[in-house]
Every structure is written in C-alpha cells, then in structure tokens.
C-alpha cells in the first residue's frame, strides 16, 4: 500500500492529502496502445531514443477535490469526444455537421460556439489544465523533480486562477485548437513541449485527433489573440487534413504559425483582422 502524501495542493493552495495525479489521463494512453502487438504499450519518445512502456507520468500534485474539479470541468468531456477508432470521433462529427466559416486547401474553420454538443468551457479547461500541470515542478524527470515546460510565474499563476474561475485568460496567452480531418489521425499523445519563435513562445501537445497550442508572449501577433479559442466568443477550431504533418512540425522542429494567418488573409482579401471580418463569407 502506497504511503499517503500530505502537502500543499498546487491548485487550491490548501494543505491536504494529495492524489498520485496523472499529467495525461490513462484513457489517452489506452487510445494509443497497439492492441494487435505482442507488446501493446505505447511508445514513449525521449531525447535519447524511444521505448515501449506502460509507465505513465504521475506525481503528487493535486488534492482529491481539485482532481475531481478538473475531471468534471474538462477531462471527462474530452475523453468522451476525442478520436478512438475509425468512425468514432465525436468532436469531429459535431464539427462536420455544421457549415464552416471558410474552407481552403483542405482546411475548414468553424465557429464552434454555434455548434450543438461542443462544450467550449470544458474543452478550454482541459487544454489549459494540461499546459498548467506541465509547468509545475513536480514531475519525475531523469531522477529529479522538474517541469516539462516553463511558462514563468506570472503566466503559470494566471492559468491556475483561470482553472479556479478567479481570473480570465491573460492578454498574452492565446489558445488554438486543431482537429484532424484524416481518416486515421496520428495515434500519438504527448506532454506539452515548447518552441521559441522570434518574438514569443509556443507550447504544444496532442491527443489522438486533436492538437493544442498555447501562444505565450506580449509580442505575439494580434491575430493570435483574435483567434484564441478562449477569448473569441466564436471559439474557432480549425479542421485540417494535414494533421499528421503539421503535428510533427510543431512538436519536433521550429515552425511558425503563418499558414493559418495566410489562409485568413486570402479569405478576407485583406490583412488578417478580427473574427467578424470572416463571418458571413461563403465557403470556397
């Protein structure tokens, strides 16, 4: 029987008995397991190679109440809606029943706030909670306790307060969401990782069929704020058929976000502007 750990919960800041919390739910690990293989465990990517393992990333970080809060306000909904197998991708099915704002080159942009069955608050809470958790210096990495990404104290605290409904997402934080339009999207789940762009940082993670980006920095282009899934009342989501390729680019090598900005410029015939400039246009 594992010993109980009592310490300060990283979310509510109260001293309580802590759970052995997952960074990513076990449900995502199961989704990327190869059930046809003699060794069905998912592949863990590391800086010095890769290995199949059932080991999951866990740490004593949250009390039971906060663990349940994040589950009920985001994770449970995402587990019910991400890609599991061919024909079973509820989030995409809900998107494709609606009319996109515009389409171009195999991509389609949707106002998910208008789509029945898509819970904007739960999808946002899930994404922000994963980025926030990954920034905590609690995870066992190479024999020590460390974090997977570094947001800085100001942004980390803003995310914590957002998850407690004590603050709105800061001006210099923007969340973007991509959904795969591939018949069988990349079967990969990863913890957040970071890329340094010229004037800002981007942090990314994926679960099967869905890719999340958190853009961080005061000098990020204004269009990133305008298309933020949280700040825009329209909760924009991009459905894309180059999901695998774009996921690899954002996770494993430097790449900017100009492709979506260029798409919006071509659709409006002018420089990328507020979301309502795209509204009312017929898909092309």
């Amino acid at each position: 029987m594992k010993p109980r750990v009592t310490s300060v919960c990283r979310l509510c800041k109260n001293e309580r008995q802590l759970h052995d919390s997952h960074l990513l739910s076990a449900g995502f690990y199961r989704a990327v397991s190869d059930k046809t293989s003699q060794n069905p465990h998912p592949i863990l990517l590391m800086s010095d190679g890769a290995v199949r393992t059932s080991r999951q990333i866990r740490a004593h970080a949250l009390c039971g109440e906060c663990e349940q809060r994040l589950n009920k306000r985001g994770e449970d909904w995402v587990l019910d809606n991400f890609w599991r197998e061919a024909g079973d991708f509820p989030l995409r099915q809900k998107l494709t029943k609606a009319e996109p704002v515009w389409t171009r080159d195999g991509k389609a942009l949707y106002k998910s706030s208008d789509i029945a069955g898509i819970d904007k608050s739960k999808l946002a809470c899930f994404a922000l909670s994963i980025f926030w958790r990954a920034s905590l210096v609690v995870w066992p990495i190479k024999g020590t306790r460390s974090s997977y990404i570094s947001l800085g104290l100001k942004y980390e605290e803003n995310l914590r307060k957002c998850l407690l409904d004590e603050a709105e997402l800061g001006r210099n934080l923007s969340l973007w969401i991509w959904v795969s339009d591939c018949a069988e999207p990349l079967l990969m789940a990863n913890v957040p990782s970071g890329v340094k762009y010229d004037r800002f940082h981007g942090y990314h993670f994926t679960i099967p069929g869905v890719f999340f980006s958190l853009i961080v920095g005061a000098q990020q282009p204004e269009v990133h704020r305008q298309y933020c899934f949280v700040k825009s009342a329209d909760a924009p989501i991009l459905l894309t058929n180059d999901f695998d390729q774009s996921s690899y680019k954002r996770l494993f090598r430097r790449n900017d976000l100009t492709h979506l900005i260029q798409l919006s410029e071509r659709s409006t015939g002018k420089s990328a502007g507020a979301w309502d400039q795209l509204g009312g246009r017929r898909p092309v």
Side-chain angles (χ1 to χ4, degrees):
M1 187 174 180
K2 293 183 178 180
R4 295 182 178 182
V5 174
T6 300
S7 189
V8 175
C9 171
R10 293 304 184 102
L11 185 59
C12 68
K13 298 295 187 180
N14 293 315
E15 185 167 336
R16 292 179 174 171
Q17 184 177 326
L18 302 183
H19 277 215
D20 191 11
S21 304
H22 288 85
L23 178 48
L24 281 174
S25 169
F28 300 120
Y29 290 92
R30 287 193 293 270
V32 298
S33 298
D34 183 359
K35 301 175 180 61
T36 65
S37 172
Q38 290 184 335
N39 183 353
H41 300 313
I43 296 174
L44 175 65
L45 297 175
M46 301 175 293
S47 59
D48 55 352
V51 63
R52 284 195 179 275
T53 177
S54 62
R55 182 171 63 87
Q56 298 174 12
I57 302 170
R58 307 165 72 134
H60 289 90
L62 302 175
C63 67
E65 183 177 335
C66 288
E67 184 94 23
Q68 287 303 308
R69 177 187 182 90
L70 297 183
N71 289 347
K72 292 179 180 178
R73 301 193 62 172
E75 187 172 279
D76 290 347
W77 188 90
V78 174
L79 284 167
D80 287 338
N81 284 276
F82 80 116
W83 190 93
R84 269 75 58 93
E85 58 187 25
D88 187 12
F89 192 175
L91 176 57
R92 182 170 68 192
Q93 290 161 356
K94 292 166 185 174
L95 282 175
T96 54
K97 289 179 181 178
E99 190 81 357
V101 174
W102 53 257
T103 63
R104 178 81 69 175
D105 301 331
K107 299 177 177 64
L109 193 63
Y110 289 86
K111 296 167 63 173
S112 70
S113 59
D114 291 345
I115 301 175
I118 295 183
D119 194 317
K120 171 183 174 179
S121 64
K122 289 184 177 178
L123 188 52
C125 181
F126 165 77
L128 296 179
S129 76
I130 298 299
F131 286 117
W132 173 75
R133 282 187 252 197
S135 73
L136 300 178
V137 185
V138 298
W139 308 106
I141 303 174
K142 294 184 177 180
T144 187
R145 296 290 170 178
S146 188
S147 63
Y148 284 94
I149 61 175
S150 179
L151 297 175
L153 293 177
K154 179 177 71 173
Y155 296 133
E156 181 184 318
E157 179 65 5
N158 178 241
L159 288 185
R160 186 186 75 84
K161 289 185 175 181
C162 285
L163 296 173
L164 293 172
D165 296 328
E166 295 177 358
E168 295 183 350
L169 189 65
R171 169 174 169 75
N172 298 329
L173 295 170
S174 302
L175 176 67
W176 285 22
I177 298 177
W178 285 260
V179 170
S180 173
D181 199 26
C182 304
E184 291 191 16
L186 186 67
L187 280 184
M188 181 173 70
N190 72 287
V191 299
S193 59
V195 176
K196 177 67 170 67
Y197 301 107
D198 290 337
R199 295 177 294 161
F200 55 91
H201 286 81
Y203 299 97
H204 316 294
F205 77 94
T206 187
I207 59 176
V210 191
F211 187 89
F212 302 90
S213 286
L214 184 68
I215 313 304
V216 180
Q219 297 188 58
Q220 63 179 276
E222 190 62 28
V223 69
H224 294 166
R225 299 184 176 96
Q226 293 166 347
Y227 285 91
C228 174
F229 181 80
V230 176
K231 296 169 189 172
S232 169
D234 300 306
I237 293 178
L238 185 74
L239 184 69
T240 173
N241 65 2
D242 66 353
F243 183 83
D244 291 6
Q245 181 182 10
S246 60
S247 295
Y248 274 123
K249 283 182 179 179
R250 288 179 177 80
L251 289 171
F252 301 121
R253 63 186 175 91
R254 179 185 171 85
N255 184 54
D256 64 24
L257 301 172
T258 56
H259 76 288
L260 183 54
I261 296 171
Q262 291 167 351
L263 286 173
S264 65
E265 288 174 349
R266 291 203 295 269
S267 295
T268 60
K270 60 183 74 175
S271 61
W275 174 263
D276 60 8
Q277 290 180 305
L278 296 178
R281 292 188 60 86
R282 295 183 62 81
V284 293

